[in-house]
Each structure stands twice: as structure tokens, then as C-alpha cells.
Amino acid sequence: MRDATANPATTPHASTPTRIGYVLKMYPRFSETFVVTEILAREALGADIEIFSLRAPVDPRFHDSLARVQAPVRYVPRVRRAEDLWSALAAARAELGPLPDALVRQLLAVHAEDAAQALAVAVAARRSGVTHLHAHFASLATTVARLAALAAGLTYSFTAHAKDLFHEQVDDGDVARKAADAHHVVTISEYNARHLRAIGVEQDRIRLVYNGLDLDAFRPRPDLPPAATEARDGDRELHVVGVGRLVEKKGFAHLLDAVALLRRGHGVAARLTLVGGGELDVALRARAAELGLTDVVTFTGPLPQPRVREVVAAADVLAAPCVVGADGNADGLPTVVLEAMALGTPCVTTAVTGLGEAVVHERTGLVVAERDAAGLAAALDRLRADPALARSLARAARRLVEERFDARHQAAQLQSHLPSAPLLEEAVA
């Protein structure tokens, strides 16, 4: 029996070429474009990747970039009965050898389905030559990746985002325990890094790697940003766009209030396009009708990435009035904000979590207090009334994205953090 005190995470296979197993709750997922962008960028650097999806996709919509992913996808079987875990343990033992008693106790301490999937990933990873596992989100995917790595004698890492850190149901101790066994922990903002340190994660395990963009796909328009167009009455019309799931943390209810204030209090011919779907769809449509905005607010529903890109590029401003939800849920650093910055569309947002690391007030965008519809309306009107300011902010935002959020550099950072991985930054210089 393997020594129960041994920690495979400290003994990487230094002499073996790295093959990375991505452990994801669901792949592909329409809202998680950042995962696809990351995998594509790592593959472009020569990374050898296999994807383990714990759930089959349920959304028939897919982004076109998926077609370029080379990594094979393995959908991990799910057990339906607790007693099936014993069969999974027997099968894993035949492939992996005896498991340490301490690990068996940990497998029995989690949900039987999660434990069985961890064993299935361990066996599949061993058979396919995977040497390192990486999970996105510190919740289910990392639970499975951690146990699979310990069972197979592999190293693992995970990326911590937002809901997996800040939701009221998150167990900080569980996150810290997962980090303690990990080779390293990636997180997407300095705000998140501070939080991880506060809950007991060691500084030397934390790697700050911002989500990146394929900047070739997000080129700014020559007239960066588009000038506000003339409305029929001679006033300058303002086209505002908001993109994201229609849930509380996106703050779109406050955006509707701001548009109403623009039209009634500021006399601005403002219109709004909301891109996305979600649990608040009906409530937000009702709110728009209550405010008398039915004719000037367009709800598009979810759109494929190329179409989102077109809508954001054509708008005068992107509004991301994010808030901390009643359940503690908050955005990390929404990808659409980075996309708007790359496209040359000025941004107005709030200082929730890591947003201030991209949208710096009066340098790369405008920042207002969360839940402040009046302040949001004033910021939107300021960009309408001062096209020179809008263009200056947009140009600075594009420069920042090029410096800090290029997916090629993000991929090189991720590769460099692997056990015994060579530094690849020069490959993208």
C-alpha cells in the first residue's frame, strides 16, 4: 500500500513531457468563452491537452471558436447509486494499485458521484499519459481534480474565479485545503489574490494570471470609439449596450433606471441593448415597461460571440454596473469588459472585485458606485457630451488590454507555472 502520508503533488514527473488534463464541470459552456480562449492559446504554444468534462453540455448553442480546439474531450461517467462507488474503487485499484487509507477516507467523505468521477479521471489520466491536472473554479471541478491527482500520483492546479470564492455557500476552509495540496493556484485578479491570502492560502502558491483575449479577433474600429449619432430631434443619441447573464450581480436593473433618468432627467435620446438570458429576464422586461422604456430597450437574448462583438463595437458605450448580490455572489472581472476595451468601446462600470484593475477611473473608463443609477446616468451622459474624453479613454483601454490581457502572454504564464515547465514568454514576444 502506498504511504498514506505521501503527497503526490510534491513529486511531479519532471522527466516526462507535460500533458495537461483540463477538468471542467461542463464543456463546452456557452458563457465560458474564457476557457476556450485559454485552451486555444495554450495549444498555440504547443501544449498537449486533454479535456475531462464532468457534465454533458445542455445548451445547443456553441461559439465558432470551439471548432479550432484540438484537445480530445472525454465525458466522465456519472454513477447514480452510492453503492456503485465500491465498484469504482475496485476498478481504480486494478489500474492504480492500492490507494492510501487516508485517500479512501477522503473519497468516502465527498458525494459518491464526485468520488467515482475522480477515480474515473485518475484512471483515464494514467492511461492517456496525463502528467498534470488543471481545473477551472474552486468548487466541483477542483474537488474532482484534487482527488484524481492524489489517486493517480499527479500534480494539479486550479483557477479561482468569483462565485467559487465569494458566494455565501463557499466554504473558505475547503478552498484553502484544496490550495494546500495544489502545485499552484491561479486566480484572475489581485483582488482575488488578496482574498485567497486572507483565507489562509500561502502566498507562494498563488499565481495572478488575468483572463486573456485573442486580440486578433478583437481589433478596434478605426474611428475608435464610434461617435454618438444624431437623433431626429437634433440631439445626440446614445446607444448603450450591456452584456451578460440576466442575474442580480450584473446590475442591469440599475442600468434600466439609469437609462430612464437619461431620457427624463437629462433629456438624452438614449437607447439600450441588453444581450444575454437568465433568471431575471421576465423581471427586467417588466421593469423596462414600468419605466416606459419598451420602445428603446432591446432584449436580444444570448448571442454567439461574433455577433456580441459586432453589437459591442457598434455601441457608444458598454455599461457593466456590477453589484455584489444578496447571496455574496459577484463578478470577478467580466470578459465582456475586456472585450469592449479591446474593441474601443468606452466602459462605465463599478469597482466590484477586480474590475478596478482593468477599468481605472478617468484613465481607461469611468467607475461609479454600485447600485447608483443617478451616478451611472451621469457617467453615461458625460461620455455622450464629451466625445474627446470617450476616445481618450478608449485608446488608453486598448493599450492596457494589449499590455495586460493578451491571451498569448496569459498562456505563456500558465505554461511557465507547470512543474518543470520551460519559460515560454519569449515564444510570444
Side-chain angles (χ1 to χ4, degrees):
M1 179 177 292
R2 191 184 307 153
D3 180 5
T5 63
N7 182 1
T10 64
T11 56
H13 303 279
S15 62
T16 305
T18 302
R19 178 171 170 80
I20 310 162
Y22 263 69
V23 181
L24 305 169
K25 180 178 180 180
M26 182 181 294
Y27 179 88
R29 201 166 199 168
F30 192 75
S31 62
E32 294 180 1
T33 57
F34 54 88
V35 172
V36 176
T37 299
E38 178 178 299
I39 290 172
L40 285 171
R42 295 184 81 164
E43 288 186 332
L45 289 181
D48 184 11
I49 294 174
E50 181 170 349
I51 298 169
F52 298 92
S53 179
L54 306 180
R55 303 288 185 270
V58 295
D59 194 328
R61 302 161 301 173
F62 300 112
H63 296 292
D64 57 355
S65 56
L66 277 172
R68 296 189 283 120
V69 174
Q70 299 298 308
V73 182
R74 186 189 300 269
Y75 291 98
V76 185
R78 300 171 65 182
V79 302
R80 300 298 180 182
R81 299 176 304 171
E83 52 265 34
D84 291 336
L85 176 57
W86 297 109
S87 298
L89 280 166
R93 180 176 181 179
E95 183 74 26
L96 305 172
L99 300 177
D101 292 343
L103 176 57
V104 172
R105 288 194 293 271
Q106 292 184 62
L107 288 164
L108 295 176
V110 302
H111 193 283
E113 183 175 350
D114 301 343
Q117 286 198 304
L119 293 169
V121 170
V123 170
R126 176 73 68 82
R127 288 176 177 173
S128 62
V130 167
T131 58
H132 181 84
L133 295 175
H134 183 75
H136 268 277
F137 295 95
S139 43
L140 171 64
T142 298
T143 296
V144 171
R146 172 181 174 272
L147 293 171
L150 293 174
L154 307 178
T155 55
Y156 80 96
S157 53
F158 63 93
T159 298
H161 290 268
K163 186 177 182 179
D164 52 330
L165 295 180
F166 305 123
H167 194 278
E168 63 182 3
Q169 294 181 353
V170 172
D171 179 349
D172 289 343
D174 179 60
V175 175
R177 282 189 294 274
K178 290 171 178 174
D181 286 333
H183 180 270
H184 62 275
V185 179
V186 176
T187 198
I188 63 167
S189 70
E190 178 54 43
Y191 182 96
N192 285 9
R194 290 194 298 271
H195 176 80
L196 288 170
R197 291 193 291 268
I199 66 173
V201 178
E202 297 176 359
Q203 170 63 39
D204 61 3
R205 289 191 187 274
I206 300 171
R207 309 287 187 270
L208 171 58
V209 182
Y210 290 109
N211 283 340
L213 297 181
D214 176 2
L215 293 183
D216 290 336
F218 290 89
R219 296 184 180 276
R221 289 174 30 152
D223 58 336
L224 168 135
T229 55
E230 295 293 329
R232 291 182 181 179
D233 61 2
D235 292 332
R236 297 184 69 81
E237 182 184 62
L238 183 70
H239 179 200
V240 182
V241 63
V243 181
R245 290 186 299 120
L246 305 185
V247 295
E248 182 191 6
K249 68 179 180 180
K250 297 296 183 181
F252 290 145
H254 309 291
L255 180 54
L256 289 172
D257 291 344
V259 171
L261 287 172
L262 277 173
R263 295 184 65 83
R264 294 173 187 169
H266 295 245
V268 174
R271 61 188 177 93
L272 171 64
T273 301
L274 279 180
V275 180
E279 61 195 47
L280 295 183
D281 186 292
V282 173
L284 290 173
R285 289 175 188 269
R287 181 61 176 161
E290 179 184 341
L291 293 168
L293 300 176
T294 302
D295 294 339
V296 298
V297 177
T298 301
F299 290 85
T300 70
L303 297 176
Q305 193 173 52
R307 182 63 186 131
V308 173
R309 193 158 54 235
E310 292 173 1
V311 172
V312 172
D316 297 308
V317 57
L318 176 112
C322 302
V323 303
V324 178
D327 58 1
N329 194 8
D331 261 318
L333 207 173
T335 302
V336 70
V337 171
L338 303 179
E339 293 172 350
M341 294 170 68
L343 291 167
T345 301
C347 296
V348 177
T349 187
T350 59
V352 168
T353 61
L355 272 162
E357 296 169 46
V359 183
V360 182
H361 186 55
E362 297 188 339
R363 288 177 53 195
T364 59
L366 297 181
V367 179
V368 301
E370 59 178 306
R371 306 181 189 276
D372 181 5
L376 179 58
L380 294 170
D381 194 24
R382 182 180 175 190
L383 291 176
R384 177 200 65 84
D386 192 346
L389 172 65
R391 281 190 287 273
S392 174
L393 294 175
R395 290 192 179 100
R398 172 69 192 193
R399 288 194 297 271
L400 181 66
V401 168
E402 291 173 351
E403 295 167 1
R404 190 177 294 179
F405 299 99
D406 186 333
R408 295 171 299 177
H409 295 291
Q410 264 60 0
Q413 285 183 279
L414 292 170
Q415 290 295 103
S416 73
H417 296 320
L418 290 171
S420 304
L423 292 174
L424 299 177
E425 191 67 23
E426 64 274 13
V428 297

Coordinates of all heavy atoms in Angstrom, one line a residue, residues 213-221 224 338-345 363-364 391-406:
L213 N -7.5 37.7 -23.9 CA -8.3 37.8 -25.1 C -7.4 37.4 -26.3 O -6.2 37.7 -26.3 CB -8.9 39.2 -25.3 CG -9.8 39.8 -24.3 CD1 -10.2 41.2 -24.7 CD2 -11.1 38.9 -24.2
D214 N -8.1 36.9 -27.3 CA -7.5 36.8 -28.7 C -7.6 38.1 -29.3 O -8.6 38.5 -29.9 CB -8.2 35.7 -29.5 CG -7.7 35.6 -30.9 OD1 -6.7 36.3 -31.2 OD2 -8.2 34.7 -31.6
L215 N -6.5 38.9 -29.2 CA -6.6 40.3 -29.7 C -6.7 40.4 -31.2 O -7.2 41.4 -31.7 CB -5.4 41.1 -29.2 CG -5.3 41.3 -27.7 CD1 -4.1 42.1 -27.3 CD2 -6.6 41.9 -27.2
D216 N -6.4 39.3 -31.9 CA -6.6 39.3 -33.4 C -8.1 39.3 -33.7 O -8.5 39.8 -34.8 CB -5.9 38.1 -34.0 CG -4.4 38.2 -34.0 OD1 -3.9 39.4 -33.9 OD2 -3.7 37.2 -34.0
A217 N -8.9 38.8 -32.8 CA -10.3 38.7 -33.0 C -11.1 40.0 -32.5 O -12.2 40.2 -32.8 CB -10.9 37.5 -32.4
F218 N -10.3 40.8 -31.7 CA -10.9 42.0 -31.1 C -10.1 43.2 -31.5 O -9.4 43.7 -30.7 CB -11.0 41.8 -29.6 CG -12.1 40.8 -29.2 CD1 -11.7 39.5 -29.0 CD2 -13.4 41.2 -28.9 CE1 -12.6 38.5 -28.6 CE2 -14.3 40.2 -28.6 CZ -13.9 38.9 -28.4
R219 N -10.2 43.6 -32.8 CA -9.5 44.7 -33.2 C -10.4 46.0 -33.1 O -11.5 46.0 -33.4 CB -9.1 44.5 -34.7 CG -8.1 43.4 -34.9 CD -7.7 43.3 -36.3 NE -6.7 42.2 -36.5 CZ -5.4 42.2 -36.3 NH1 -4.9 43.4 -35.9 NH2 -4.6 41.2 -36.5
P220 N -9.8 47.1 -32.7 CA -10.6 48.3 -32.5 C -10.9 48.9 -33.9 O -10.2 48.8 -34.9 CB -9.6 49.3 -31.8 CG -8.2 48.8 -32.2 CD -8.4 47.3 -32.3
R221 N -12.1 49.5 -34.0 CA -12.5 50.2 -35.2 C -11.6 51.4 -35.4 O -11.1 52.0 -34.5 CB -14.0 50.7 -35.0 CG -15.0 49.5 -35.1 CD -16.4 50.0 -34.8 NE -16.7 51.4 -35.2 CZ -17.9 51.8 -35.5 NH1 -18.9 50.9 -35.5 NH2 -18.1 53.0 -35.9
L224 N -12.3 54.8 -33.4 CA -12.4 54.4 -32.0 C -12.6 55.6 -31.1 O -11.8 56.6 -31.1 CB -11.1 53.7 -31.7 CG -10.7 53.4 -30.2 CD1 -10.2 52.0 -30.2 CD2 -9.7 54.4 -29.7
L338 N -13.3 43.4 -20.9 CA -12.1 43.4 -21.6 C -12.3 43.4 -23.1 O -11.5 44.1 -23.8 CB -11.3 42.1 -21.2 CG -11.0 41.9 -19.7 CD1 -10.3 40.6 -19.5 CD2 -10.2 43.1 -19.1
E339 N -13.3 42.7 -23.6 CA -13.6 42.7 -25.0 C -14.0 44.1 -25.5 O -13.5 44.6 -26.5 CB -14.7 41.7 -25.3 CG -14.3 40.3 -25.1 CD -15.5 39.3 -25.2 OE1 -16.6 39.8 -25.2 OE2 -15.2 38.1 -25.2
A340 N -14.8 44.8 -24.7 CA -15.2 46.2 -25.1 C -13.9 47.1 -25.1 O -13.8 47.9 -26.0 CB -16.2 46.7 -24.1
M341 N -13.1 47.0 -24.1 CA -11.9 47.7 -24.1 C -11.0 47.5 -25.3 O -10.4 48.4 -25.9 CB -11.1 47.5 -22.8 CG -11.8 47.9 -21.5 SD -11.0 47.3 -20.0 CE -9.5 48.2 -20.0
A342 N -10.9 46.2 -25.7 CA -10.1 45.9 -26.9 C -10.7 46.4 -28.1 O -10.0 46.8 -29.1 CB -10.0 44.3 -27.0
L343 N -12.0 46.5 -28.2 CA -12.7 46.9 -29.4 C -12.8 48.4 -29.5 O -13.1 49.0 -30.6 CB -14.2 46.4 -29.4 CG -14.3 44.9 -29.7 CD1 -15.7 44.4 -29.3 CD2 -13.9 44.5 -31.1
G344 N -12.5 49.2 -28.4 CA -12.5 50.6 -28.5 C -13.8 51.2 -28.1 O -14.1 52.3 -28.4
T345 N -14.7 50.4 -27.4 CA -15.9 50.9 -26.9 C -15.7 51.4 -25.4 O -15.4 50.5 -24.6 CB -17.0 49.9 -27.0 OG1 -17.2 49.4 -28.3 CG2 -18.4 50.4 -26.4
R363 N -9.1 57.0 -16.5 CA -7.9 56.6 -17.3 C -8.2 55.6 -18.4 O -7.8 55.8 -19.6 CB -6.8 56.1 -16.4 CG -6.1 57.1 -15.5 CD -5.1 56.5 -14.5 NE -4.1 55.6 -15.3 CZ -3.4 54.7 -14.7 NH1 -3.4 54.6 -13.3 NH2 -2.5 54.0 -15.4
T364 N -8.9 54.6 -18.1 CA -9.3 53.6 -19.1 C -10.8 53.4 -19.1 O -11.3 52.5 -19.7 CB -8.7 52.2 -18.8 OG1 -9.0 51.8 -17.5 CG2 -7.1 52.3 -18.9
R391 N -13.0 59.0 -26.6 CA -11.9 58.5 -27.4 C -10.6 58.3 -26.7 O -9.9 57.3 -26.8 CB -11.7 59.4 -28.7 CG -12.7 59.2 -29.7 CD -12.3 59.9 -31.0 NE -12.5 61.4 -30.9 CZ -13.7 62.0 -31.1 NH1 -14.7 61.4 -31.5 NH2 -13.7 63.3 -31.0
S392 N -10.3 59.2 -25.8 CA -9.1 59.1 -25.0 C -9.1 57.9 -24.1 O -8.1 57.2 -24.0 CB -8.9 60.4 -24.2 OG -7.8 60.3 -23.3
L393 N -10.2 57.7 -23.4 CA -10.4 56.6 -22.5 C -10.3 55.3 -23.3 O -9.7 54.3 -22.9 CB -11.7 56.6 -21.8 CG -11.9 57.8 -20.8 CD1 -13.3 57.8 -20.2 CD2 -10.9 57.7 -19.6
A394 N -10.9 55.2 -24.5 CA -10.9 54.0 -25.3 C -9.6 53.7 -25.8 O -9.2 52.5 -25.8 CB -11.9 54.2 -26.4
R395 N -8.8 54.7 -26.2 CA -7.4 54.4 -26.7 C -6.6 53.9 -25.5 O -5.8 52.9 -25.7 CB -6.8 55.6 -27.3 CG -7.5 56.1 -28.6 CD -6.7 57.1 -29.3 NE -7.3 57.5 -30.6 CZ -8.0 58.6 -30.8 NH1 -8.2 59.4 -29.8 NH2 -8.5 58.8 -31.9
A396 N -6.7 54.5 -24.3 CA -5.9 54.0 -23.2 C -6.3 52.6 -22.8 O -5.5 51.8 -22.4 CB -6.1 55.0 -22.0
A397 N -7.6 52.3 -22.9 CA -8.1 51.0 -22.5 C -7.5 49.9 -23.5 O -7.1 48.8 -23.1 CB -9.6 51.0 -22.6
R398 N -7.5 50.2 -24.8 CA -6.9 49.3 -25.7 C -5.5 49.0 -25.4 O -5.0 47.9 -25.4 CB -7.1 49.9 -27.1 CG -6.3 49.0 -28.2 CD -6.9 47.7 -28.5 NE -6.1 46.9 -29.3 CZ -6.4 45.7 -29.9 NH1 -7.7 45.3 -29.7 NH2 -5.6 45.0 -30.6
R399 N -4.7 50.1 -25.1 CA -3.3 49.9 -24.7 C -3.1 49.0 -23.5 O -2.3 48.1 -23.5 CB -2.6 51.2 -24.5 CG -2.4 52.1 -25.7 CD -1.4 53.2 -25.5 NE -2.0 54.2 -24.5 CZ -2.7 55.2 -24.8 NH1 -3.1 55.5 -26.0 NH2 -3.1 56.0 -23.8
L400 N -4.0 49.2 -22.5 CA -3.9 48.4 -21.3 C -4.2 46.9 -21.6 O -3.5 46.0 -21.1 CB -4.9 48.9 -20.2 CG -4.9 48.1 -18.9 CD1 -3.5 48.3 -18.2 CD2 -6.0 48.5 -18.0
V401 N -5.2 46.7 -22.4 CA -5.5 45.3 -22.8 C -4.4 44.6 -23.5 O -4.0 43.5 -23.3 CB -6.8 45.3 -23.7 CG1 -7.0 43.9 -24.3 CG2 -8.0 45.6 -22.9
E402 N -3.7 45.4 -24.4 CA -2.6 44.8 -25.1 C -1.4 44.5 -24.2 O -0.8 43.5 -24.3 CB -2.1 45.8 -26.2 CG -3.1 46.0 -27.4 CD -2.7 47.1 -28.3 OE1 -1.7 47.8 -28.0 OE2 -3.3 47.2 -29.4
E403 N -1.3 45.3 -23.2 CA -0.2 45.1 -22.2 C -0.5 44.0 -21.2 O 0.4 43.3 -20.8 CB 0.1 46.4 -21.5 CG 0.6 47.5 -22.3 CD 0.6 48.9 -21.6 OE1 0.2 48.9 -20.4 OE2 0.9 49.9 -22.2
R404 N -1.7 43.9 -20.8 CA -2.0 43.0 -19.6 C -3.0 41.9 -19.9 O -3.0 40.9 -19.1 CB -2.7 43.9 -18.5 CG -2.8 43.3 -17.2 CD -3.3 44.3 -16.1 NE -2.4 45.3 -15.9 CZ -2.7 46.3 -15.0 NH1 -3.9 46.4 -14.4 NH2 -1.8 47.3 -14.8
F405 N -3.7 41.9 -21.0 CA -4.7 40.9 -21.2 C -4.7 40.1 -22.5 O -5.6 39.6 -23.0 CB -6.1 41.5 -21.0 CG -6.4 42.2 -19.7 CD1 -6.2 43.5 -19.5 CD2 -6.7 41.4 -18.6 CE1 -6.4 44.1 -18.3 CE2 -6.9 42.0 -17.3 CZ -6.8 43.3 -17.2
D406 N -3.5 40.0 -23.1 CA -3.3 39.3 -24.3 C -3.2 37.8 -24.0 O -2.4 37.4 -23.2 CB -2.0 39.8 -24.9 CG -1.7 39.2 -26.3 OD1 -2.2 38.0 -26.6 OD2 -1.0 39.8 -27.1

